[in-house]
Amino acid sequence: MLSVYNCIVNEHDFRLVLLAAAVCTLASFSAVNLLRHARRALHKRFWIGVAALACGFGIWATHFIAMLAFSPGLPHGYNIVLTSLSLIIAIAMTGLGTYFAIVNERANADLAGGATIGAGIAAMHFTGMAAFEVEGHMAWDSALVVTAVLAGILFAACAVRVALIKGSMANRLLATALLTLAICAHHFIAMGAASITPDSTIVVPAGTIASGPLALAIAMGSVVILSTSLTGIGIDIRGRRRAREMERMRKLVNAAVEGLVICDGETIVTANDSFAELIGMSSRSLVGLPLGTFLTDAVLGSKLRGDQNESFEAELIAASGVSISVELIARAVDFGETQHRAIAVRDLRSRKEAEAHISYLAHHDALTGLPNRRSFNTRLDQQVAAADINNGNYVALFCLDLDRFKEANDLFGHAAGDEILQSVARTISQLLGQNEMLARLGGDEFAIIVPGIVTPSAASRLAEQILDALHSENRNSRAGWMVSTSIGIAIFPIDGNDRETLLNHADQALYRAKAEGRNTFRFFEASMGVEAKSRRLIEQELRQALMRNELKMVYQPQMQIDTGEVTGFEALMRWHNARLGEFPPTSFIPIAEESGIILQLGEWALFVACQEAASWEKPLSVAVNVSAIQLYSHDFPQKVHSVLLRTGLAPYRLELEITETSLIKDTNRALAALRHLKSLGVRIAMDDFGTGYSSLSNVRAFPFDMIKIDRSFIKSVDKNAQGAAIVKAVLGLGRGLGLPVLAEGIETPDELEFLAGESCAAGQGFYLGQPGPIENFKHLISSTASFAGGMQSVDVIPETVRRQIPS
């Protein structure tokens, strides 16, 4: 080791030794960083080559700078071929060792790679020494040579292992120190092993390179290559960092469900898969394209680059050329140390479709697809405003209401009812022109707007076509059920100058069409308005009648014809209005039924009649009329039961009169209600027998206790042969079924005599007793009254009838 020391101190220029050490340290630091970088880099082979070039050139430079510091005191030079070969060996061996250390996955591959680099240091050194031409003979100390080779291999192996350990800067500095030590230790130990014996006979060849220019070239080349290597590392690290940021950004962007685009100015930097799928391109192919490529509005691009942070609706052009409705929202983001714009892209197609569907539902009927009342009102207002009445072009308004639709709906079910409505809508729509509108206003109500009507006859023809078309359509309907319609027609400006008036008048005409037989049409007439106004006034006053105590009950006696005994009374409602005067039941009861007020009136009448009957001393019966609306109310039997409990009237004394027409609406429901009432002990009478649709089947199916012959058959029964035949048939039917028959409307002694002769059980009418307050009949309801007294109240009975009354 003393020879090594003497070699360094006495035979080297110390300044160049320091330069060699500096170059060696820089080369080692570069080699360590390149080695670590190459292990992580995507293009490993490229960076292994860069590391081999930088590290090999650094080792070579260190050797020759140190050789230039060596002063043997003899003429010398460097063989250019061997010098170049030594550089190639340094680069090749360093590259081979780096490849082993990084690519080979075997155990201790890093140590083997480092040892290869150490062997390369030795090979380069001795090849370089062979290139050293000197005027003398060179001898080697084999022990020091071996020591130099082992030192280089050992320190280089340790340097590579430490360099590849993950850690902080301390690891890199330690690896740099070990590699520097490997290069320098090998060089100076090997230089100490060499000894030169001068020989003047040996001449240095003229083609050798002088040490001065070589030193300058090596130093400059070393600095350039090593600096370039470090710069490359920095650039690559920055690129990798940017790539990682880009990848993170891409993953973050892809995490968004909606489309997201990152733009640098106008250029797309990255886009998520949602946006790529929306456009119909891959996300990678979008990078570098201008965002404006996909926007129809050129001005929108500048708005997105602003700082308004507003949302914009736009049309996006997909790769297929399809226009897509989107909402764009731009925000400024920092990306890669540069400000970019993040643009969120929301696909509005589903929302637009939903909005269009909502708008459609807001203006159309969901079942038939026809315009609804809202659209109808708007269209009618428009047609009224645009009508050219100066040229005789009017607007006709048709209001339609299906006949017997509720019966069809109840009989066949709601699904069949829906089919009927759809069929009606389809049938009528086929008859209308482009400018004519059919709308469904609700339920089974329809309306038609027909602009450009010149004469009412044109409206009449259309109404007839509608009636004929529905008749033809119904021939193939389910179960042969025929659904017709009634039509009311009003014409602008003849029948009204605004929508409300026209609708009101068309409704009045429709009501007249229904009242006059249905399945027909009627035009509005001024008299209809007066009638409708009167009906509305009656309805309005009737709603207040109970609170004003304007209603009262009168009673008409019912008599056993064969004995003349009063068996009960029929309770009849009367209404006296302070403003309108006296109203007979035939004028206000139909209005009460149409408006639904009959439920309150009927409940009041039932309670008052039962309460009055409960106060009578004699247990006479009381008969109360029940409307169809009452019968079909869900809780009518319960209400009857409640009234009986509240008034204390015995159930057998209450007789409920049910008309035939109220039974056909829903036979099963009516039968259930009547059976419930019978279970309470209440008596049931069929009122107005003979005026319904299926009297015989009703008598057989329902649990009646009495049949009441309608007054229309009793009138002049003694003179009308047909009427007499019908009455005789009904009386015979009653006897056959074991049901008593009561004749209504007896007004003459001859009528009474006929009924007595035919063994009619009971009767009532003006001849037997006019309706009046119960005070008029106190002598009949008092227990002190005798049978004769009862006969006194009907002493108008003729003698021929008296003789038929058994004693």
Side-chain angles (χ1 to χ4, degrees), residues 625 657 659-660 686-692 695 707-717 723 726-727 730 741-746 751 755 764:
N625 289 285
E657 297 186 359
T659 61
E660 284 186 281
M686 176 183 283
D687 196 15
D688 300 336
F689 184 80
T691 61
S695 302
I707 297 174
K708 298 184 70 174
I709 305 177
D710 187 69
R711 68 188 63 191
S712 63
F713 298 109
I714 302 302
K715 185 176 180 62
S716 301
V717 69
I726 293 175
V727 170
V730 174
V741 178
L742 184 147
E744 295 182 297
I746 302 174
E751 292 171 355
L755 293 170
Q764 71 180 81

Side-chain angles (χ1 to χ4, degrees), residues 671-693:
L671 181 60
L674 294 182
R675 285 175 175 171
H676 194 167
L677 292 169
K678 287 286 291 182
S679 68
L680 299 176
V682 176
R683 302 178 73 241
I684 307 295
M686 176 183 283
D687 196 15
D688 300 336
F689 184 80
T691 61
Y693 298 99

Side-chain angles (χ1 to χ4, degrees), residues 350-362:
S350 297
R351 194 182 83 180
K352 292 286 186 181
E353 290 175 2
E355 289 175 351
H357 184 61
I358 292 172
S359 177
Y360 178 84
L361 293 179

